[in-house]
Amino acid sequence: MTLDPPSDATVDTALVRVTGGRPLSGRIPVQGSKNIALHLYAASLLADSPVTLSAAPDIIDTQVCAQILRHTGARVEVTGGRFDVIPPRDPWPVVHAELGRRVRTTVVLAAAVLARAGQVAFPWPGGDAFCPRLIDRHVAAMRAAGAEVVADGAGMRARCGPRGVKAFTVDVDTPYGPSLGATVTAMLLAARATGASLITHPSIEPEVTETARFLSERGVRIHFDDQGLHVAGSDWIDGGGFAVAGDRIEAATMVMTAAATGGRVHLDNITAAGFPRGLVRVLTAAGIGLSDAPDGGVQSQSRGPLTAVEAATGPHPDLPTDTAPQLAALLTQADGTSLLGERVYPRRDSHAAGLRSFGADITTTGAVIRIRGPVRLHGADVEASDIRAVTALLIAALAAEGPSTIRGLYHLRRGYGHLLSNLATLGADITTVPGGPDAHPVHRR
């Protein structure tokens, strides 16, 4: 089976032009969570009847995953925030090579195919590459489930015996904490195995708990206890509807963008409880308050000048690593010296050089970033090659005086469906300049 890749190729040269220095304020919606949705797209392949995911984010990664599922034989329609899937009874056991190299959840998708077909070939995963990101715990789960897994130049192949995946026990812990992706990989395999499986040291990130809730509502028996995550496999998994939760990372991004420019924001489709406690603590320490609005959603407001903080990322409910680059951009406007440690990955500083181009006083020592502020940022011409780094540069451009140009719009579109138009709604002077096959209409305010 062959399938043409989507037209959103990484050769897209569209860019963003920003004239900063304006306080951004107003009310905007939060999209469905990118990271949760991508894991649910994989989980939908396990169902034995049609699945409808609502609030699916309008992003490039959604379209890429839709095409990957189609390549396995699934019928997929993506319209108006709905991701409709009719799973194949006998999936084609291949994750499309080129498409699979564009998303981070490649191995999770492969696990779903392996669970259904008993075999799968898949490429090395893609997505953001701000540091080495191993897949050894995913492979350990596949092997624990009875698969022989071998690597070749194109990727990996996994094959189970004639009875398919079997019940298993696997540890998904790493030196940096539980692996989110490997927990979902193991959970999808266990959901189709005969018997009860145990995943020790599981991640409890919302991507995991929401995927568990999706499977539980479809009849798979799942529960957490002191031993870990227990999954009783099933030979029939119902379909039906499921709503993707609001994107806590996009919500945090908008809160920090408004604060960095001296504004305030009201966010719909999320509540204050949707923000991880570690993130709320850091925002509070920096002088940013969050509260549930009487008419729904969340309001944010700075409580005077921003203040420097010392914090470190960590597993949920600690400070999410995917908010650290944006937080660094915000803290260029905070009074004092901030220290941000990275504890989920070996390091995460692909945004630092770009922020220095705006005049930020930012240095990196190992896994720790030091930011001194407040600094009067100036316009710059910058580029980044991962989603959150591009977002950090966009925040800096909006806080800076004068015009800026940001390249790397493809990566922004992988994670945010309407970020630029939402910023324009809040008052940003922002323009997208077409330059590639996926050029969006211009947004300007």
Side-chain angles (χ1 to χ4, degrees):
M1 181 184 292
T2 60
L3 189 71
D4 291 333
S7 61
D8 51 59
T10 55
V11 296
D12 182 4
T13 57
L15 51 85
V16 182
R17 287 181 180 158
V18 176
T19 300
R22 297 183 176 189
L24 302 186
S25 297
R27 184 170 185 166
I28 54 174
V30 172
Q31 70 180 14
S33 170
K34 165 196 176 289
N35 292 335
I36 292 174
L38 266 60
H39 290 87
L40 292 175
Y41 300 155
S44 69
L45 280 175
L46 298 185
D48 291 287
S49 57
V51 171
T52 294
L53 300 173
S54 58
D58 181 18
I59 57 176
I60 286 176
D61 279 12
T62 289
Q63 296 297 332
V64 172
C65 287
Q67 294 230 43
I68 290 173
L69 265 61
R70 291 183 188 119
H71 185 247
T72 71
R75 293 171 58 186
V76 184
E77 295 292 334
V78 184
T79 55
R82 285 170 53 110
F83 193 96
D84 292 298
V85 183
I86 300 178
R89 179 169 299 183
D90 297 305
W92 177 249
V94 175
V95 175
H96 189 281
E98 182 175 348
L99 297 171
R101 287 191 291 267
R102 296 193 186 179
V103 292
R104 189 63 206 164
T105 52
T106 307
V107 192
V108 181
L109 290 157
V113 175
L114 177 62
R116 291 298 303 268
Q119 60 179 314
V120 66
F122 58 98
W124 302 110
D128 293 337
F130 46 82
C131 74
R133 302 173 71 180
L134 303 179
I135 61 170
D136 58 311
R137 292 296 84 203
H138 296 262
V139 174
M142 291 180 175
R143 287 176 173 156
E148 179 184 2
V149 186
V150 296
D152 57 33
M156 306 195 83
R157 296 178 179 274
R159 179 186 291 272
C160 294
R163 295 186 179 181
V165 293
K166 64 179 184 180
F168 59 91
T169 296
V170 69
D171 188 349
V172 294
D173 204 12
T174 79
Y176 301 97
S179 169
L180 182 166
T183 303
V184 178
T185 283
M187 184 166 29
L188 299 188
L189 293 168
R192 277 287 176 179
T194 301
S197 297
L198 173 63
I199 304 164
T200 61
H201 301 105
S203 166
I204 57 167
E205 297 284 344
E207 288 76 10
V208 172
T209 57
E210 284 297 284
T211 303
R213 188 166 70 88
F214 171 85
L215 292 172
S216 180
E217 291 183 4
R218 313 236 99 71
V220 179
R221 288 181 293 158
I222 297 177
H223 73 276
F224 291 85
D225 64 15
D226 291 342
Q227 289 184 298
L229 175 57
H230 299 260
V231 183
S234 175
D235 59 3
W236 177 270
I237 296 176
D238 289 332
F242 192 86
V244 180
D247 195 318
R248 66 196 187 280
I249 307 301
E250 185 192 41
T253 297
M254 299 310 298
V255 167
M256 290 188 278
T257 303
T261 63
R264 56 202 297 185
V265 70
H266 183 147
L267 302 172
D268 289 320
N269 303 336
I270 196 165
T271 65
F275 289 77
R277 292 195 300 272
L279 174 62
V280 173
R281 283 196 299 268
V282 172
L283 293 177
T284 301
I288 302 169
L290 299 176
S291 60
D292 287 317
D295 58 343
V298 171
Q299 293 175 322
S300 77
Q301 185 173 4
S302 297
R303 299 166 177 167
L306 296 172
T307 303
V309 300
E310 294 187 15
T313 65
H316 187 79
D318 289 342
L319 177 68
T321 182
D322 276 355
T323 65
Q326 304 93 302
L327 182 59
L330 169 71
L331 292 172
T332 65
Q333 303 306 296
D335 183 23
T337 299
S338 295
L339 296 175
L340 295 181
E342 176 57 48
R343 297 188 305 177
V344 176
Y345 297 109
R347 63 188 298 156
R348 187 166 193 166
D349 60 356
S350 56
H351 53 289
L355 291 178
R356 282 193 289 269
S357 296
F358 288 98
D361 185 347
I362 179 171
T363 56
T364 301
T365 304
V368 178
I369 294 178
R370 179 189 302 268
I371 307 110
R372 293 184 177 91
V375 173
R376 188 171 181 178
L377 303 179
H378 54 74
D381 186 342
V382 293
E383 183 174 3
S385 58
D386 65 81
I387 295 171
R388 311 307 174 183
V390 175
T391 311
L393 301 186
L394 181 58
I395 294 173
L398 291 163
E401 295 293 334
S404 298
T405 300
I406 304 172
R407 292 174 173 81
L409 188 55
Y410 167 82
H411 298 285
L412 195 73
R413 293 173 179 161
R414 284 187 48 237
Y416 301 96
H418 303 284
L419 180 63
L420 300 183
S421 57
N422 282 339
L423 289 170
T425 298
L426 297 179
D429 184 345
I430 187 165
T431 304
T432 57
V433 180
D438 187 45
H440 279 197
V442 168
H443 302 295
R444 184 190 291 274
R445 177 65 177 263

